[in-house]
Amino acid sequence: MPIEVDVAVLGGGPGGYTAAVKAAQAGLSVVVIEKDKLGGTCLHRGCIPSKSLLRSAEVYATIGDAASYGIQLPEGDASIDWNAVMGRKDSIVEQLHKGLNALMKQHRIEVVKGNGRIIGPSIFSPKSGAIAVELESGDAETVVPKNVIIATGSRPRKLDGLRYDGERIATSDEALVWKSRPSSIVIVGGGVIGVEWASMLSDFGTKVTLVEAAGRLLPTEDRDIGAEIEKALSRRGVVVHTGVALRTDDCRLTANGVELTATDANGKELALSAERMLVSVGRIGNVESLGLENTDVKAEQGFIQVNSATLQTGEPHIYAIGDCIGGVQLAHAAMHEAATAIEHLTGSKPSRAADRDIPRCIYSRPEAAAVGWTEENARAEGYQVKTAKLPLRILGKALVYGESEGFAKVIADSATGDLLGVHLVGAHATELIAEASLAKLLDAIPWEVGRTIHPHPTLSEALQETMLALEGAAGHG
């Protein structure tokens, strides 16, 4: 007999398990279909394992700088145990994975492990949406839901012409299970993933070269963020090449690693070599083999097309959320979209945030975070822009903690006073951005945030001071 439920969720990542829990909390019966492990890319091949490695690298770098804090250590005593670094990462992932399984049991959500494929109208249902599941055992199961939520995530985009072997040429998926730390690496792609890996590996002592086709690092973020992060990485020995494109046909695997050629806008060649190469040039949605051809669900350029307000596909009872629809490919964006879809599915009025108002975080050293418009995009949209930017070195807490790199930047509309964007570079920027996100949700103006009492000494004062600086009322700078 088929499994009949109110909601079937295809994919058990952050979007999928959040949708399942929200639906269960609304009193609906739910099945999650997941071919691998609950938690998806974020838990097993992305957010969590990479942040664990970044934390280990940060601790190692801090130990190396201990003398600046008045702490003397015997020279050469600090070393990296790569197996222990990877073991710590794996234990964190496993602990969170167990917690997710417990969460499913707590909400009486059935998890079916296998490959799910949507089928068209059949004996099980007069409309498309029933799901045939190929189980690990080789047996088959059929789930017949009233509604479907597709949350199948994404995978690293690969460049054609490269001979990926997972070791010398790899994506972030393979790099997260490397058995050893590379002595040298070329990272292709200066977006978020590339910058984080460059920061982490340089802190571990790897010789890093970072190659980006655009004219600057982090090209989708505010220009000041890209410039500050490039400056910070360069100070630590990372070699950055922007405005150059990799020639995949000239990439060669050698006994010592990999050799490659890049070309700048003027056609000048740049020869590079390293023990390994990491390719981080974006992600593509997992939309193949889902049976979409049996439905009116459409996919274009590797992503499922949805109604931007409700997240419905071409089939009103089939929703899609998370990385598989493109847009902001972040775990918390998928969670927000999950809540939006369930709100609509249960008859509530959904409220989906604009992509630009979803906080964007970069966990390099120093960190960077942003929400809202970049200065360049705000001007292009016709806003009368005014900005304020203050360095973190004016803050006592930043100096005390030896983390004075970076700045806070606020963008406002001079005509209305509205807050347009907030951009941070510095220690714990990914924590501080939540206040700016709340300000955007509540439609607060910079003066209101500036008048909010912030404790002293803290890094949060950066936001207060920069908001006040828009009106010439900052206490510093």
Side-chain angles (χ1 to χ4, degrees), residues 65-72:
D65 193 37
S68 69
Y69 296 89
I71 308 299
Q72 298 298 324

Side-chain angles (χ1 to χ4, degrees), residues 87-129:
R88 178 178 187 271
K89 173 206 65 163
D90 293 341
S91 66
I92 292 171
V93 169
E94 182 57 28
Q95 181 177 341
L96 292 173
H97 182 236
K98 288 179 180 178
L100 276 182
N101 283 298
L103 185 67
M104 296 299 103
K105 292 179 181 178
Q106 175 188 340
H107 290 282
R108 296 186 175 89
I109 297 167
E110 183 175 358
V111 178
V112 177
K113 191 168 184 180
N115 283 297
R117 181 178 176 85
I118 301 173
I119 58 179
S122 64
I123 60 171
F124 300 111
S125 174
K127 61 182 180 180
S128 58

Side-chain angles (χ1 to χ4, degrees), residues 180-341:
S180 63
R181 177 185 62 83
S183 60
S184 60
I185 191 167
V186 173
I187 298 176
V188 179
V192 174
I193 295 174
V195 162
E196 289 183 353
W197 276 90
S199 177
M200 175 220 303
L201 289 174
S202 67
D203 276 346
F204 276 136
T206 297
K207 181 181 178 182
V208 178
T209 301
L210 183 56
V211 176
E212 167 56 42
R216 57 190 176 92
L217 294 185
L218 303 168
T220 61
E221 293 299 339
D222 192 89
R223 188 173 297 274
D224 286 346
I225 285 183
E228 187 75 9
I229 292 296
E230 180 173 345
K231 183 170 64 176
L233 291 176
S234 297
R235 276 199 297 263
R236 283 152 52 199
V238 175
V239 178
V240 178
H241 297 288
T242 56
V244 297
L246 177 69
R247 285 174 40 179
T248 56
D249 56 331
D250 279 348
C251 183
R252 299 171 298 281
L253 296 177
T254 70
N256 297 319
V258 61
E259 295 178 351
L260 58 146
T261 305
T263 308
D264 67 15
N266 298 318
K268 183 179 178 181
E269 291 188 352
L270 177 69
L272 301 170
S273 63
E275 180 186 333
R276 297 179 204 170
M277 180 168 75
L278 173 66
V279 180
S280 57
V281 290
R283 301 183 67 83
I284 187 169
N286 294 321
V287 300
E288 303 87 357
S289 304
L290 295 180
L292 300 186
E293 67 276 8
N294 301 320
T295 72
D296 289 330
V297 178
K298 304 299 181 187
E300 294 181 9
Q301 297 181 333
F303 298 105
I304 295 173
Q305 304 302 295
V306 295
N307 178 303
S308 61
T310 66
L311 296 162
Q312 291 169 290
T313 66
E315 300 259 12
H317 63 291
I318 300 178
Y319 298 74
I321 62 174
D323 283 12
C324 68
I325 67 171
V328 181
Q329 294 179 304
L330 299 170
H332 50 278
M335 293 173 175
H336 171 66
E337 290 159 3
T340 299

